[in-house]
Amino acid sequence: MKAHRRWTAIIGFLTLASPASLASPSARAAYPVDPLQSPMWSAHARTIFGDDPVHFDPLLKIEYPDIAENQRSFPVALDARGIAQVKRMVIFADLNPIPIAIDYRPDAAEPYVATRIKLDQRTPVRGAVQLADGQWLVAGGWVDAAGGGCSAPPLSRVKGDWAEHLGEMRGEAWPMGADGASRLRVTLRHPMDTGFVANIPTYNIEELEVKSAAGAVLGEMEIWASVSEDPAITLMPRAKPGETLTVSARDTNGRTYTGNVAVAARAPLATAR
């Protein structure tokens, strides 16, 4: 998978290594006033959006609990199905030491992505989507969290069994309706180390890709260590019942993981709508 953009960690936050991020302040776009009044809004806007136009848009849906009951595993879903020509989707938390969680490109998929992320403190959690014309739409809100999600060791490290299950993949997929899309849920066993625990370096899944049986890329994403241990990802690739999807991932040590998921004939009864 080719990285759409490369991110570099600087003083605990991610800075985009691109010409836009190196431009002079006078050359940068004027970002809209942040309705959440986050102290990191301008910094993250420069990092993620560069000189592209940015708008806060209520049509963009980002779903999450108001309070993080488990700061190690906080569910977030970014849904842009009511918006046309979405080419890129980003989930980030302003005040996390690793703000970016997922950067997803729904190449042949509905513009939807859900996962679980870590939260290190009370923070705005946001979703942003880029349209075909280059503009970005943003939505989000403040989330109360006890903190420590990024600095606590993964449970598999505490148990000591992480290596025994590393890379185990489980998945299921089923059709969603007449539009040809399916819902794909994939879970991959991985410690997703942030590098903030003593003597445990950063180690995480960094890329994930979904392909059709013919080898066409349906969706691809870059992933950061702020995604929760044992990442769980939900996507909506365009695939019909009986088709087999291939899910492949790579971590920061260069290990690769691959699994096949067949699209079921019908949705489970509990999720059929």
Side-chain angles (χ1 to χ4, degrees), residues 64-78:
Y64 49 78
D66 293 331
I67 299 175
E69 295 183 359
N70 182 354
Q71 63 267 32
R72 299 179 189 221
S73 183
F74 181 74
V76 182
L78 182 57

Side-chain angles (χ1 to χ4, degrees), residues 31-70:
Y31 303 116
V33 175
D34 180 21
L36 304 181
Q37 299 182 335
S38 166
M40 292 304 300
W41 163 246
S42 294
H44 292 325
R46 286 194 299 270
T47 297
I48 299 169
F49 313 128
D51 290 333
D52 297 331
V54 181
H55 308 281
F56 291 100
D57 194 326
L59 289 178
L60 180 61
K61 299 177 183 178
I62 181 166
E63 300 175 347
Y64 49 78
D66 293 331
I67 299 175
E69 295 183 359
N70 182 354

Side-chain angles (χ1 to χ4, degrees), residues 106-251:
D107 301 309
E110 294 298 306
Y112 178 95
V113 57
T115 190
R116 301 190 299 256
I117 66 175
K118 306 179 183 92
L119 294 180
D120 214 48
Q121 60 180 301
R122 182 176 184 266
T123 179
V125 173
R126 306 187 198 251
V129 300
Q130 187 177 33
L131 308 185
D133 62 5
Q135 70 172 307
W136 287 88
L137 307 180
V138 183
W142 281 92
V143 173
D144 287 326
C150 294
S151 55
L155 295 179
S156 60
R157 291 281 188 183
V158 175
K159 293 179 180 178
D161 64 350
W162 68 273
E164 299 174 21
H165 301 285
L166 182 67
E168 292 180 357
M169 188 184 298
R170 295 182 180 179
E172 58 181 344
W174 59 88
M176 294 180 56
D179 59 0
S182 62
R183 181 180 290 264
L184 169 66
R185 288 179 178 170
V186 175
T187 302
L188 187 63
R189 295 293 299 272
H190 202 283
M192 299 298 287
D193 298 311
T194 60
F196 299 125
V197 178
N199 302 316
I200 302 177
T202 302
Y203 181 41
N204 61 276
I205 298 292
E206 63 178 356
E207 293 181 353
L208 184 141
E209 185 176 67
V210 179
K211 290 184 177 181
S212 69
V217 177
L218 305 180
E220 53 189 331
M221 69 175 63
E222 298 165 52
I223 301 173
W224 281 265
S226 51
V227 170
S228 297
E229 177 184 10
D230 300 335
I233 308 289
T234 300
L235 307 174
M236 295 182 179
R238 297 189 184 108
K240 298 179 181 179
E243 293 188 36
T244 297
L245 303 173
T246 297
V247 181
S248 57
R250 186 182 71 185
D251 67 26

